[in-house]
Amino acid sequence: MRSFLLLVGVVEALVGPQKTATLGLGCFWEPSETLLKLDGVVDTRCGYAGAAFPDAKPDYNSVCGGDGNVECVRVTYDASVVDYEEVLDAAFAASKPVLGSRQYAPIVFAASDEEAERAAAWVAQGGKRDDGLERRQFAVETTDTFWLAEGYHQEYWQKWRPRYAALFALVGLQYADSKLDFLPPAADGACTVLAVGIGLLFLGERVLDSETTKLGA
């Protein structure tokens, strides 16, 4: 045990004490990318939390079907660089909740009573964004369960932004060729194959990378 504690101390000395914050911010794709830009944030993961029966394994279809889970971003941060309230400030700015929707609700999921108190104090400070979203519209709930979402949701825009750009470029090239007829047949066929391949990749990820994993607080 002493060796383990020593190892933990060495790791914290090298990378700083790491903590997590679990946050409902609307669709999790964009906020999970945006929050990575905050100095001190080490990692973000998309997932689900907040169901009445937290041990029941969710998936994206069940969440969309109203199983009570909320789309969340779990933020891992270096507490020596950024504190909990600063993470909440950045999350508030990055959030795109849908008010009245459980799936896309604005919620701070606290892992302890102490964290819940800090989150409630943060909400009570008040404040409003330019688009009218207010801090007081964020709820605070306590949970010790976070389900890591399917792999295809992780780093979604980082993966798919270049894929979509390539797909649109290929479609645009083929459209231009249909009007101007400048591509040789082999090149036109290659464009079709590549476009179909991107579509199959989209479908394949949803079939092959569709597991959700339960994580603790």
Side-chain angles (χ1 to χ4, degrees), residues 21-47:
T22 302
L23 309 163
L25 305 172
C27 177
F28 43 31
W29 291 340
E30 188 173 343
S32 66
E33 179 183 23
T34 301
L35 289 171
L36 277 174
K37 300 172 185 176
L38 178 64
D39 191 26
V41 169
V42 177
D43 186 41
T44 60
R45 286 288 180 265
C46 298

Short mmCIF file of all heavy atoms in Angstrom, two decimals, residues 21-47:
data_model
loop_
_atom_site.label_atom_id
_atom_site.label_comp_id
_atom_site.label_asym_id
_atom_site.label_seq_id
_atom_site.Cartn_x
_atom_site.Cartn_y
_atom_site.Cartn_z
N ALA A 21 -15.40 16.28 -13.58
CA ALA A 21 -16.69 16.96 -13.47
C ALA A 21 -17.59 16.36 -14.54
O ALA A 21 -17.17 16.21 -15.70
CB ALA A 21 -16.54 18.46 -13.68
N THR A 22 -18.81 15.99 -14.17
CA THR A 22 -19.75 15.39 -15.10
C THR A 22 -20.89 16.37 -15.33
O THR A 22 -21.57 16.78 -14.39
CB THR A 22 -20.28 14.05 -14.54
OG1 THR A 22 -19.18 13.17 -14.30
CG2 THR A 22 -21.24 13.39 -15.52
N LEU A 23 -21.12 16.71 -16.59
CA LEU A 23 -21.96 17.87 -16.91
C LEU A 23 -22.90 17.58 -18.06
O LEU A 23 -22.47 17.12 -19.13
CB LEU A 23 -21.07 19.06 -17.27
CG LEU A 23 -19.94 19.38 -16.28
CD1 LEU A 23 -18.90 20.27 -16.91
CD2 LEU A 23 -20.53 20.00 -15.03
N GLY A 24 -24.19 17.86 -17.85
CA GLY A 24 -25.16 17.82 -18.93
C GLY A 24 -25.18 19.16 -19.63
O GLY A 24 -25.51 20.19 -19.02
N LEU A 25 -24.84 19.17 -20.93
CA LEU A 25 -24.64 20.43 -21.65
C LEU A 25 -25.36 20.47 -22.99
O LEU A 25 -25.00 21.25 -23.86
CB LEU A 25 -23.13 20.65 -21.88
CG LEU A 25 -22.25 20.60 -20.63
CD1 LEU A 25 -20.78 20.64 -21.02
CD2 LEU A 25 -22.58 21.74 -19.69
N GLY A 26 -26.39 19.63 -23.14
CA GLY A 26 -27.01 19.49 -24.45
C GLY A 26 -26.33 18.36 -25.21
O GLY A 26 -25.71 17.48 -24.61
N CYS A 27 -26.45 18.35 -26.53
CA CYS A 27 -25.76 17.34 -27.32
C CYS A 27 -24.28 17.37 -26.98
O CYS A 27 -23.64 18.42 -27.02
CB CYS A 27 -25.96 17.60 -28.81
SG CYS A 27 -25.08 16.43 -29.87
N PHE A 28 -23.72 16.20 -26.65
CA PHE A 28 -22.37 16.19 -26.07
C PHE A 28 -21.23 16.34 -27.06
O PHE A 28 -20.09 16.55 -26.67
CB PHE A 28 -22.14 14.95 -25.21
CG PHE A 28 -22.63 13.63 -25.76
CD1 PHE A 28 -22.67 13.34 -27.11
CD2 PHE A 28 -23.07 12.64 -24.87
CE1 PHE A 28 -23.11 12.12 -27.60
CE2 PHE A 28 -23.51 11.40 -25.34
CZ PHE A 28 -23.54 11.14 -26.71
N TRP A 29 -21.49 16.26 -28.34
CA TRP A 29 -20.41 16.26 -29.32
C TRP A 29 -19.58 17.55 -29.29
O TRP A 29 -18.36 17.51 -29.17
CB TRP A 29 -20.96 16.07 -30.74
CG TRP A 29 -21.53 14.72 -31.01
CD1 TRP A 29 -21.29 13.56 -30.33
CD2 TRP A 29 -22.45 14.40 -32.06
NE1 TRP A 29 -22.00 12.52 -30.89
CE2 TRP A 29 -22.73 13.01 -31.95
CE3 TRP A 29 -23.09 15.12 -33.06
CZ2 TRP A 29 -23.60 12.35 -32.81
CZ3 TRP A 29 -23.94 14.47 -33.92
CH2 TRP A 29 -24.19 13.10 -33.80
N GLU A 30 -20.25 18.69 -29.41
CA GLU A 30 -19.50 19.96 -29.51
C GLU A 30 -18.88 20.39 -28.18
O GLU A 30 -17.70 20.75 -28.15
CB GLU A 30 -20.39 21.06 -30.07
CG GLU A 30 -19.64 22.35 -30.36
CD GLU A 30 -20.48 23.38 -31.08
OE1 GLU A 30 -21.53 23.01 -31.64
OE2 GLU A 30 -20.10 24.56 -31.08
N PRO A 31 -19.63 20.36 -27.06
CA PRO A 31 -18.99 20.75 -25.79
C PRO A 31 -17.79 19.89 -25.42
O PRO A 31 -16.82 20.39 -24.82
CB PRO A 31 -20.12 20.60 -24.77
CG PRO A 31 -21.37 20.76 -25.55
CD PRO A 31 -21.08 20.14 -26.88
N SER A 32 -17.82 18.60 -25.76
CA SER A 32 -16.69 17.73 -25.41
C SER A 32 -15.43 18.16 -26.15
O SER A 32 -14.32 18.02 -25.63
CB SER A 32 -17.01 16.27 -25.73
OG SER A 32 -17.17 16.06 -27.13
N GLU A 33 -15.59 18.71 -27.34
CA GLU A 33 -14.43 19.23 -28.09
C GLU A 33 -14.02 20.60 -27.56
O GLU A 33 -12.83 20.86 -27.35
CB GLU A 33 -14.77 19.32 -29.57
CG GLU A 33 -13.63 19.87 -30.41
CD GLU A 33 -14.00 20.04 -31.88
OE1 GLU A 33 -15.20 20.16 -32.20
OE2 GLU A 33 -13.08 20.06 -32.72
N THR A 34 -14.99 21.47 -27.33
CA THR A 34 -14.70 22.83 -26.89
C THR A 34 -13.97 22.86 -25.55
O THR A 34 -13.01 23.62 -25.36
CB THR A 34 -16.00 23.64 -26.78
OG1 THR A 34 -16.66 23.66 -28.06
CG2 THR A 34 -15.73 25.07 -26.34
N LEU A 35 -14.40 22.02 -24.61
CA LEU A 35 -13.82 22.05 -23.27
C LEU A 35 -12.38 21.55 -23.24
O LEU A 35 -11.64 21.85 -22.30
CB LEU A 35 -14.68 21.24 -22.30
CG LEU A 35 -16.03 21.90 -21.97
CD1 LEU A 35 -16.92 20.95 -21.20
CD2 LEU A 35 -15.81 23.19 -21.19
N LEU A 36 -11.98 20.80 -24.26
CA LEU A 36 -10.58 20.38 -24.34
C LEU A 36 -9.63 21.56 -24.51
O LEU A 36 -8.44 21.45 -24.23
CB LEU A 36 -10.39 19.40 -25.51
CG LEU A 36 -10.72 17.94 -25.27
CD1 LEU A 36 -10.62 17.16 -26.58
CD2 LEU A 36 -9.81 17.33 -24.22
N LYS A 37 -10.17 22.69 -24.97
CA LYS A 37 -9.33 23.86 -25.21
C LYS A 37 -9.05 24.65 -23.93
O LYS A 37 -8.22 25.55 -23.93
CB LYS A 37 -10.01 24.77 -26.24
CG LYS A 37 -10.25 24.09 -27.58
CD LYS A 37 -11.10 24.95 -28.51
CE LYS A 37 -11.42 24.21 -29.79
NZ LYS A 37 -12.32 25.01 -30.67
N LEU A 38 -9.77 24.31 -22.84
CA LEU A 38 -9.56 25.02 -21.58
C LEU A 38 -8.24 24.57 -20.95
O LEU A 38 -8.00 23.37 -20.79
CB LEU A 38 -10.73 24.74 -20.63
CG LEU A 38 -10.64 25.37 -19.24
CD1 LEU A 38 -10.67 26.89 -19.33
CD2 LEU A 38 -11.77 24.87 -18.35
N ASP A 39 -7.41 25.52 -20.60
CA ASP A 39 -6.13 25.20 -19.98
C ASP A 39 -6.36 24.42 -18.69
O ASP A 39 -7.12 24.85 -17.82
CB ASP A 39 -5.37 26.50 -19.68
CG ASP A 39 -3.93 26.25 -19.27
OD1 ASP A 39 -3.37 25.21 -19.68
OD2 ASP A 39 -3.36 27.08 -18.55
N GLY A 40 -5.72 23.28 -18.57
CA GLY A 40 -5.86 22.43 -17.39
C GLY A 40 -6.76 21.23 -17.61
O GLY A 40 -6.72 20.28 -16.82
N VAL A 41 -7.57 21.25 -18.68
CA VAL A 41 -8.40 20.09 -18.98
C VAL A 41 -7.53 19.04 -19.66
O VAL A 41 -6.85 19.31 -20.65
CB VAL A 41 -9.60 20.47 -19.88
CG1 VAL A 41 -10.30 19.22 -20.42
CG2 VAL A 41 -10.58 21.31 -19.08
N VAL A 42 -7.57 17.84 -19.12
CA VAL A 42 -6.72 16.75 -19.60
C VAL A 42 -7.46 15.89 -20.62
O VAL A 42 -6.87 15.41 -21.59
CB VAL A 42 -6.28 15.86 -18.40
CG1 VAL A 42 -5.46 14.67 -18.87
CG2 VAL A 42 -5.51 16.69 -17.39
N ASP A 43 -8.77 15.71 -20.41
CA ASP A 43 -9.51 14.79 -21.26
C ASP A 43 -11.00 15.10 -21.14
O ASP A 43 -11.46 15.63 -20.11
CB ASP A 43 -9.25 13.34 -20.82
CG ASP A 43 -9.88 12.32 -21.75
OD1 ASP A 43 -9.82 12.52 -22.98
OD2 ASP A 43 -10.45 11.34 -21.25
N THR A 44 -11.76 14.79 -22.17
CA THR A 44 -13.22 14.82 -22.10
C THR A 44 -13.75 13.54 -22.71
O THR A 44 -13.18 13.00 -23.65
CB THR A 44 -13.83 16.03 -22.85
OG1 THR A 44 -13.47 15.96 -24.24
CG2 THR A 44 -13.35 17.33 -22.26
N ARG A 45 -14.86 13.07 -22.15
CA ARG A 45 -15.52 11.86 -22.66
C ARG A 45 -17.02 12.09 -22.68
O ARG A 45 -17.59 12.70 -21.78
CB ARG A 45 -15.18 10.65 -21.78
CG ARG A 45 -13.77 10.13 -21.97
CD ARG A 45 -13.63 9.43 -23.32
NE ARG A 45 -12.29 8.91 -23.57
CZ ARG A 45 -11.35 9.55 -24.23
NH1 ARG A 45 -11.60 10.77 -24.68
NH2 ARG A 45 -10.18 9.00 -24.43
N CYS A 46 -17.66 11.58 -23.72
CA CYS A 46 -19.11 11.65 -23.83
C CYS A 46 -19.74 10.47 -23.11
O CYS A 46 -19.19 9.36 -23.14
CB CYS A 46 -19.54 11.62 -25.30
SG CYS A 46 -18.94 13.01 -26.28
N GLY A 47 -20.88 10.70 -22.48
CA GLY A 47 -21.52 9.60 -21.77
C GLY A 47 -22.92 9.94 -21.32
O GLY A 47 -23.51 10.95 -21.73
#
